[in-house]
Amino acid sequence: MPGTRTAALMIALAAATTGCGRSDSDKESSAPPPTAPGPTSSPPSATPSPTQQRFQAKIRKVTAAELKHSWRKGCPVPVSGLRMIEMSYWGMDREHHSDGRLVVNAKAADDLVTVFRKLYDDRYPIRRMEPVDRYKGSDFDSIEADNTSAFNCRNATGSGSWSQHAYGLAIDINPCENPYVTSSGSVAHKDCVKFRNRSRRDPGVIHAGDAVVRAFARIGWDWGGTWTGTKDYQHFSSSGR
């Protein structure tokens, strides 16, 4: 009968409503809810770890505006004869860095990418790599920052003639760990004096015949650490000067 069916339905609804509110004891005795299935694929990772990074380099033209402190009219190489290498390197923090920038002679750019690729593969550490314009063209300030750099239209230290840096054909690498040492043993940068001792094995220190020297030798560049009298341990150039 309709009335009987209606009453039965009301009783069933009341029982279902009562069952929705469980006590703590009910929760403990009930079976655990089913576990949701895991994702079918791994979530995207954030930043790749250094070991997943690879050496990358891009050679591009450079503008006079980018070299306002390091280039001027009368320099031995026009701006059109220079290139910016943007590349990755391993830092002193043992991390991959992708913001390295080096201004070099256009004719040497490809060879130098080969050198720095080898240094990257060897995990040779570099403190920083910025154009000397970051330091308003000051070689002294660039060295104080332990900055690896190349082109700078200036005279050779203690000379009235152009430095090989003015041609973009010389590179100074980790200049604090590899200081310019006069024949009398003087080092101009106080924080770098300890590296006058070339028996040190600190990260970034260059030694005769090591991987850095060999990498530059493969493209015909010589090391200032072999000079007689004054030693320029940071310096590599195509002419040996």
Side-chain angles (χ1 to χ4, degrees):
M1 296 177 64
T4 304
R5 286 197 298 270
T6 301
L9 178 60
M10 292 178 63
I11 293 171
L13 288 173
T17 303
T18 304
C20 288
R22 296 179 180 175
S23 67
D24 290 342
S25 59
D26 289 334
K27 291 179 183 179
E28 292 173 0
S29 61
S30 62
T35 303
T40 56
S41 60
S42 300
S45 58
T47 303
S49 67
T51 56
Q52 295 173 314
Q53 298 284 5
R54 294 183 179 180
F55 177 81
Q56 293 184 338
K58 175 184 176 182
I59 300 172
R60 66 170 177 84
K61 292 182 178 180
V62 66
T63 66
E66 292 177 284
L67 306 176
K68 62 182 180 179
H69 298 293
S70 63
W71 184 89
R72 61 188 180 278
K73 289 183 179 180
C75 289
V77 177
V79 172
S80 62
L82 298 169
R83 293 292 183 270
M84 177 82 77
I85 305 176
E86 298 173 337
M87 59 183 155
S88 45
Y89 64 94
W90 289 103
M92 292 290 185
D93 56 4
R94 299 183 180 181
E95 297 287 338
H96 167 97
H97 294 260
S98 59
D99 58 352
R101 294 181 298 147
L102 204 64
V103 180
V104 303
N105 191 292
K107 296 178 180 178
D110 286 328
D111 281 345
L112 290 170
V113 167
T114 300
V115 169
F116 281 92
R117 182 187 301 276
K118 182 64 170 65
L119 300 188
Y120 184 90
D121 290 345
D122 291 340
R123 295 206 175 199
Y124 172 75
I126 295 173
R127 179 79 60 189
R128 56 174 50 85
M129 188 189 298
E130 302 172 317
V132 75
D133 280 77
R134 171 71 175 75
Y135 305 92
K136 297 184 177 180
S138 170
D139 183 57
F140 186 91
D141 290 347
S142 181
I143 292 174
E144 286 282 288
D146 201 14
N147 178 52
T148 293
S149 66
F151 173 76
N152 192 7
C153 186
R154 62 174 177 82
N155 289 338
T157 303
S159 170
S161 59
W162 290 119
S163 164
Q164 291 301 295
H165 289 283
Y167 297 90
L169 292 172
I171 294 177
D172 290 341
I173 297 183
N174 289 334
C176 190
E177 288 80 7
N178 304 291
Y180 180 93
V181 183
T182 67
S183 57
S184 64
S186 175
V187 175
H189 305 270
K190 61 181 179 63
D191 291 339
C192 312
V193 171
K194 62 185 178 181
F195 293 107
R196 181 172 51 196
N197 175 6
R198 300 313 291 171
S199 65
R200 297 180 68 102
R201 293 287 170 178
D202 303 61
V205 173
I206 299 169
H207 298 96
D210 71 6
V212 182
V213 175
R214 294 197 307 272
F216 277 98
R218 289 190 187 101
I219 65 167
W221 284 38
D222 294 322
W223 180 42
T226 62
W227 295 356
T228 56
T230 294
K231 304 286 189 181
D232 200 352
Y233 294 108
Q234 65 202 252
H235 186 83
F236 291 89
S237 69
S238 63
S239 68
R241 299 193 302 274

